[in-house]
Amino acid sequence: MSVPQSIDPKHLPRHVAIIMDGNGRWAKQQNKPRLYGHKVGVDSVQAIVECAAEWGVEVLTLYAFSTENWKRPADEVGGLMGLLKNYLQKELSRMLKNNIRLTCIGDVEKLPKDVHKVLKNTISDTSKNDKLTLNLALSYGGRSEMIRAVRMIAAEVKSGDIKTDDIDEKLIDSHLYTAGLPDPDLLIRTGGEARLSNFLLWQASYAEIYFTDAMWPEFREEAFASAIAEYQRRERRFGKTSAQVESG
Ligand code: FPP
């Protein structure tokens, strides 16, 4: 699968983050149970991971389960956990073959023991891979992530390891789950809603945000290519003027 013609392979976003929304509504449109939407959503995950790896995206972060998602009905939470475990077990060989490294962000200790174990094993089995980093946000919330970072930093100040003046962007970055990963350049949300839903609140400060009405189960190669093409048409100014950006 080569890079589609609509995309300039030299200006790919290094890090694409996706809020995969719309599984439930899509299933309803098909008169199917919500879990069917999540199942077909896993096929979209597979397709988008393959595109990202083939096209040369470095990091793909997928919002697979938020801290708030624990409040969903138990059978839906159980179904999602089952799909996740299955996906990891089924995809390990493909991750190894395609040089994909799996990482995760979030309070993963909260996941059911069996899922947590498969997750930890997949992370360790793929840790040497260096093509695409597939980063799954699981039991993830941006505000909890910041609370966790502030607590760690406060403890370091208290113990005298650092001074308050040492607290800067770099230090905060290094205490987030995403430490070591570049910030997302492009943040996509499917499903027709236009909000961040507690996703990568710090890291997405300068991300280009792309909202699409496509529901996640129908978001495949062509839709992904359109999102990247739109990103490439935008001018990223990082607070500067157009003239400053043009003069480099
Ligand atoms: C949002 O749709 C989607 C989720 C809460 C879960 C996303 C999970 C998957 C695609 C499957 C498992 C993931 C992996 C990585 C294997 P929604 O249910 O909120 O849709 P709605 O807004 O239409 O109700």
Side-chain angles (χ1 to χ4, degrees):
M1 185 200 303
S2 54
V3 181
Q5 287 206 327
S6 55
I7 297 180
D8 174 357
K10 287 197 210 68
H11 295 103
L12 284 168
R14 285 182 71 194
H15 183 173
V16 179
I18 309 184
I19 302 175
M20 308 181 287
D21 196 17
N23 294 348
R25 278 165 291 153
W26 180 84
K28 201 170 169 204
Q29 288 163 10
Q30 326 283 315
N31 289 316
K32 294 274 174 45
R34 293 179 57 80
L35 199 59
Y36 177 72
H38 296 314
K39 266 196 195 133
V40 181
V42 176
D43 297 339
S44 293
V45 169
Q46 234 164 32
I48 298 307
V49 169
E50 201 174 320
C51 292
E54 281 294 318
W55 299 349
V57 171
E58 283 174 44
V59 184
L60 176 69
T61 297
L62 300 179
Y63 204 4
F65 199 84
S66 72
T67 45
E68 289 74 26
N69 287 153
W70 291 115
K71 294 182 207 138
R72 291 194 175 197
D75 60 338
E76 185 171 341
V77 172
L80 278 167
M81 291 300 143
L83 286 176
L84 174 64
K85 186 176 163 191
N86 250 335
Y87 171 81
L88 294 172
Q89 286 173 328
K90 214 173 85 212
E91 288 301 299
L92 176 63
S93 56
R94 212 193 311 233
M95 288 184 202
L96 294 173
K97 187 170 136 240
N98 294 339
N99 200 4
I100 296 172
R101 173 175 80 125
L102 184 81
T103 56
C104 68
I105 54 174
D107 189 2
V108 291
E109 301 287 329
K110 287 220 172 80
L111 297 175
K113 271 207 176 68
D114 57 328
V115 180
H116 188 226
K117 193 170 161 211
V118 175
L119 179 69
K120 266 183 24 194
N121 289 344
T122 316
I123 290 173
S124 114
D125 291 347
T126 61
S127 63
K128 301 265 175 347
N129 292 348
D130 60 7
K131 194 170 181 200
L132 171 72
T133 295
L134 169 60
N135 183 36
L136 295 183
L138 293 165
S139 191
Y140 173 85
R143 288 186 174 184
S144 313
E145 178 182 40
M146 284 191 210
I147 293 169
R148 176 178 169 272
V150 170
R151 283 186 182 152
M152 284 192 279
I153 294 170
E156 287 168 32
V157 172
K158 195 172 168 201
S159 69
D161 287 346
I162 59 167
K163 294 191 279 300
T164 42
D165 279 352
D166 295 330
I167 302 173
D168 57 11
E169 287 192 16
K170 229 171 103 194
L171 188 93
I172 293 176
D173 273 336
S174 71
H175 287 78
L176 296 174
Y177 288 125
T178 47
L181 297 178
D183 281 343
D185 302 294
L186 170 62
L187 191 154
I188 299 171
R189 182 178 186 137
T190 62
E193 317 269 7
R195 53 177 173 266
L196 286 182
S197 298
N198 205 11
F199 188 46
L200 301 177
L201 297 179
W202 167 275
Q203 299 89 335
S205 294
Y206 284 100
E208 292 297 331
I209 304 186
Y210 179 86
F211 297 114
T212 168
D213 288 336
M215 299 288 153
W216 178 250
E218 56 196 14
F219 190 86
R220 301 289 163 94
E221 178 177 351
E222 210 184 310
F224 190 32
S226 300
I228 293 181
E230 163 68 22
Y231 163 86
Q232 293 184 330
R233 281 192 293 272
R234 295 196 195 165
E235 179 190 53
R236 303 186 76 198
R237 292 197 294 274
F238 299 97
K240 296 181 181 172
T241 65
S242 273
Q244 284 175 309
V245 172
E246 275 155 27
S247 67

